[in-house]
Amino acid sequence: MDKVNLIGMELGEIEGLLSQMGERSFRAKQLMKWIYGKGVGGFSQMTDLSKGLRERLAAVFSLGGMKLVQRMDSQVDKVTKFLFELEDGERVESVLIREGRRRTVCLSTQVGCPLGCRFCATGRVGLRRNLRAGEIVGQVIEVGRVTGERPTNLVFMGMGEPLLNYEEVLKSVRIFNSPYGLGIGARKMTLSTAGLVPQMGRLTREGIKLGLAISLNAPDDKLRDWLMPINRKYPLKGILKAAKEFTQIHRRRVTFEYLLIAGVNDSFDEATKLAQMVKGIPCKINLIPYNPIPRAKFRRPDPQRVEFFRRWLYPLTSTVTLRESKGKDIGAACGQLQALYR
Ligand code: SF4
């Protein structure tokens, strides 16, 4: 009989399994702390449980299912990329970004992605499948185990559109957030979406105070329809309305990400339109110079152009940041994750 994998289970589920074994419910909290808090790889390491219980647990449960296939450390930035193989042989990538004491893990939520944004390597893969909560949480546990560094912040910005895998992503958020799980505050997690309007509304009303980032990349529907085909289903008007609702209910700014692509969306005219479009929405605009991917015709604007765009935009909107993606030399930057091509 296959063992039941405990990674990805919440407190109530583990309590239920333990009670079927005749165990007291408080044991579930102990187990959660070992599995998520300490990230141990086996029941034998759970030293506050009796030897008999550890053996009984090991007979019916497992902890894992993800295998590290490759680790790549950037020679330029303090960034490491991990390629994981899942139980069914599918592969995903995760990235650890070190800034001061902060350790941010960029997580994948799907194997591939069905949305096919033109600038993104993951989009070329198409959707292979959604990740289960255990496979999302597993990335963080494995990164912690492999590096010995404790993740402090999480961004759902890796492979996949997180809001297309809503239930499993939210379950992983609850596990990250739980005091018996990883104990990472919701405010230290940011979810990035291509703009799935109904799910954005649902997320806003969930009552979980996650940060929300919207991958905007164009100041009008015509260009966005072309760059991000999902825009034909959910045009900008609805996305901006959902973004505003988020800021009103959560009383915090939303982030608009704007990938700068040479000759495509980096003119002064586009900067002006962008500023007008987000007017009235408490937000931060995050400019990200495009990161090249194989077989794409796009180019990144030269640094002078990027600076002109930023300076033109800044007085027109309240906050503009310029984020140089880290890990470009190991294919770990924004839009470069592709796992399956290797
Ligand atoms: S940018 Fe995001 S939503 Fe678009 S194809 Fe890539 S992973 Fe999917």
Side-chain angles (χ1 to χ4, degrees):
M1 197 179 73
D2 280 348
K3 292 184 183 181
V4 177
N5 187 356
L6 291 182
I7 293 185
M9 292 208 180
E10 295 183 75
L11 185 64
E13 292 172 283
I14 298 178
E15 282 174 346
L17 289 168
L18 290 178
S19 89
Q20 284 169 22
M21 293 173 69
E23 287 298 330
R24 311 252 306 271
S25 65
F26 75 91
R27 296 276 180 219
K29 289 178 184 155
Q30 282 177 295
L31 271 178
M32 294 267 293
K33 285 184 177 169
W34 283 112
I35 298 169
Y36 300 122
K38 294 201 167 65
V40 297
F43 294 96
S44 60
Q45 292 164 267
M46 301 181 180
T47 48
D48 60 355
L49 305 181
S50 71
K51 192 161 176 277
L53 176 56
R54 281 185 260 161
E55 284 169 0
R56 274 187 293 135
L57 292 171
V60 285
F61 300 128
S62 71
L63 302 173
M66 300 182 65
K67 200 168 79 194
L68 179 68
V69 177
Q70 192 181 30
R71 169 186 174 153
M72 294 174 79
D73 292 285
S74 168
Q75 301 303 306
V76 182
D77 308 304
K78 292 177 179 165
V79 169
T80 305
K81 183 168 82 166
F82 306 86
L83 176 66
F84 293 114
E85 189 165 288
L86 310 172
E87 271 175 318
D88 60 358
E90 295 287 6
R91 292 177 168 200
V92 290
E93 290 180 322
S94 324
V95 181
L96 173 66
I97 304 145
R98 304 171 183 87
E99 289 161 310
R101 296 170 71 169
R102 186 185 290 194
R103 298 287 178 270
T104 303
V105 182
C106 178
L107 294 167
S108 293
T109 54
Q110 297 183 305
V111 183
C113 178
L115 298 188
C117 302
R118 281 179 188 265
F119 47 79
C120 173
T122 308
R124 291 201 185 145
V125 175
L127 178 66
R128 309 270 301 192
R129 70 169 172 83
N130 282 335
L131 293 187
R132 292 187 293 275
E135 294 167 327
I136 302 170
V137 175
Q139 294 169 59
V140 179
I141 294 176
E142 287 298 327
V143 167
R145 251 185 224 160
V146 171
T147 60
E149 297 169 76
R150 193 175 174 82
T152 58
N153 295 63
L154 304 175
V155 290
F156 294 85
M157 297 184 184
M159 298 172 67
E161 162 55 61
L163 293 184
L164 282 177
N165 188 12
Y166 193 93
E167 301 297 343
E168 297 297 302
V169 167
L170 259 280
K171 187 177 184 192
S172 74
V173 167
R174 290 193 297 271
I175 293 170
F176 290 135
N177 199 210
S178 161
Y180 308 110
L182 281 102
I184 297 176
R187 285 183 171 273
K188 298 201 165 178
M189 298 183 228
T190 301
L191 183 146
S192 174
T193 178
L196 275 76
V197 174
Q199 290 92 328
M200 285 167 70
R202 187 175 164 198
L203 184 68
T204 294
R205 289 184 287 275
E206 270 315 326
I208 299 178
K209 295 199 175 305
L210 283 183
L212 181 66
I214 298 160
S215 185
L216 210 54
N217 311 320
D220 59 58
D221 281 322
K222 188 163 175 255
L223 179 57
R224 200 166 189 273
D225 281 353
W226 181 71
L227 276 176
M228 303 176 74
I230 187 65
N231 196 67
R232 293 179 206 142
K233 189 165 181 193
Y234 301 117
L236 283 164
K237 192 173 171 204
I239 294 173
L240 297 169
K241 188 163 173 259
K244 190 159 190 179
E245 188 193 26
F246 171 87
T247 64
Q248 287 166 338
I249 292 184
H250 288 271
R251 300 199 170 280
R252 72 186 286 193
R253 288 186 303 182
V254 71
T255 300
F256 290 119
E257 292 160 338
Y258 193 93
L259 200 62
L260 279 167
I261 309 173
V264 173
N265 64 356
D266 64 343
S267 71
F268 290 159
D269 186 36
E270 274 138 356
T272 308
K273 279 204 301 204
L274 174 61
Q276 280 164 357
M277 193 173 79
V278 302
K279 209 167 183 172
I281 304 176
C283 67
K284 177 174 94 173
I285 298 179
N286 202 357
L287 302 176
I288 309 164
Y290 169 72
N291 298 301
I293 56 172
R295 292 180 284 114
K297 291 197 179 84
F298 296 140
R299 277 184 309 109
R300 82 170 17 218
D302 59 49
Q304 211 180 20
R305 182 84 187 173
V306 170
E307 192 51 25
F308 279 157
F309 191 94
R310 188 184 72 82
R311 284 202 196 165
W312 187 267
L313 185 63
Y314 174 62
L316 304 175
T317 55
S318 57
T319 311
V320 180
T321 53
L322 176 62
R323 181 158 63 90
E324 248 319 321
S325 291
K326 294 192 161 76
K328 287 195 283 290
D329 61 321
I330 52 169
C334 275
Q336 290 186 324
L337 299 186
Q338 53 182 345
L340 296 166
Y341 279 113
R342 253 159 221 107

